[in-house]
Amino acid sequence: MTDFSEIKNNTKTRMDKTLDSLKGEFGTLRAGRAHISLLDGIMVEAYGSMTPLAQVGTISTPDARTLSVSVWDRGLAKAVEKAIMESDLGLNPSSDGQLIRIPIPPLSEERRRELSKVAGKYSENAKVAVRNIRRDALDEVKKLKKDNAISEDDEKRYEVEIQKLTDEATKKVDEMLAQKEKDILQV
């Protein structure tokens, strides 16, 4: 039988993982500078399956406005170039054999607003995940009550504690979004 401390720890851990995931998604949104995490979400058609870009080549930043991908298998260069072009990052790679250069254009005001909207979507998805975690925890508390393992007063107290965790996680999501929007909109 699980007790409330287990439920609470599990809930907190899952919410922290959601925040880490959001941080990773925000890392893929560029704020005007070249950073290798920009290419994290790109999947390449390699050897008959979709493979993360980082597993088919070495990604580096030769300067603040350029990314480069050194593809390990020359035959995959075209597939890597195509995957980068088809991503929603608005990048235009150029290839010379095994090395693919990706100039990072300065962000236009319109593109900054688009990226800000994408960041908003990511944060909304994180909030939905947090609410789902809350629902799962509340279901477990209700099950404890149904099994007569806790009293009604304990049930109410536990629900309040779970709501506090939810509010904290939601507040962190909002803070992360505000910071990312500030980074994106800063010229």
Side-chain angles (χ1 to χ4, degrees):
M1 174 183 298
T2 59
D3 63 339
F4 180 68
S5 63
E6 224 175 283
I7 294 171
K8 186 176 175 182
N9 289 340
N10 183 28
T11 301
K12 180 146 181 47
T13 302
R14 288 177 62 197
M15 287 183 180
D16 288 345
K17 285 181 183 173
T18 299
L19 293 172
D20 289 344
S21 174
L22 178 63
K23 186 177 180 184
E25 287 177 329
F26 279 172
T28 64
L29 296 177
R30 65 190 179 98
R33 289 181 308 279
H35 193 278
I36 60 171
S37 66
L38 271 175
L39 303 178
D40 280 355
I42 296 180
M43 301 296 275
V44 179
E45 172 76 38
Y47 313 113
S49 66
M50 296 308 280
T51 309
L53 178 60
Q55 292 181 12
V56 296
T58 306
I59 304 167
S60 61
T61 51
D63 61 61
R65 291 256 177 237
T66 312
L67 285 170
S68 69
V69 180
S70 179
V71 184
W72 298 321
D73 180 351
R74 180 178 229 120
L76 293 176
K78 287 285 179 222
V80 169
E81 201 174 348
K82 181 179 177 218
I84 294 169
M85 272 192 223
E86 290 176 351
S87 72
D88 62 352
L89 296 173
L91 299 174
N92 195 9
S94 63
S95 173
D96 57 356
Q98 284 183 276
L99 186 68
I100 299 169
R101 286 189 178 75
I102 308 152
I104 306 296
L107 294 173
S108 66
E109 189 60 35
E110 181 184 338
R111 184 67 180 147
R112 287 178 192 276
R113 280 196 288 276
E114 276 178 40
L115 288 174
S116 187
K117 284 180 187 171
V118 171
K121 278 186 207 164
Y122 287 165
S123 69
E124 193 50 47
N125 291 343
K127 285 181 181 179
V128 167
V130 165
R131 290 192 293 267
N132 288 340
I133 294 165
R134 175 189 63 189
R135 185 197 59 224
D136 293 346
L138 292 176
D139 287 348
E140 289 184 48
V141 168
K142 283 186 176 86
K143 187 177 183 314
L144 287 177
K145 171 66 177 99
K146 188 178 160 223
D147 296 344
N148 292 323
I150 59 172
S151 68
E152 227 170 277
D153 290 344
D154 286 340
E155 180 185 24
K156 295 291 179 225
R157 193 174 71 239
Y158 295 163
E159 287 175 358
V160 168
E161 284 188 47
I162 289 169
Q163 186 58 48
K164 277 185 192 166
L165 288 175
T166 305
D167 293 343
E168 286 172 21
T170 304
K171 184 177 177 216
K172 284 181 187 166
V173 168
D174 289 337
E175 289 168 358
M176 290 167 69
L177 175 62
Q179 181 60 48
K180 188 62 183 180
E181 283 180 333
K182 184 178 155 210
D183 288 350
I184 291 171
L185 296 174
Q186 179 180 320
V187 179

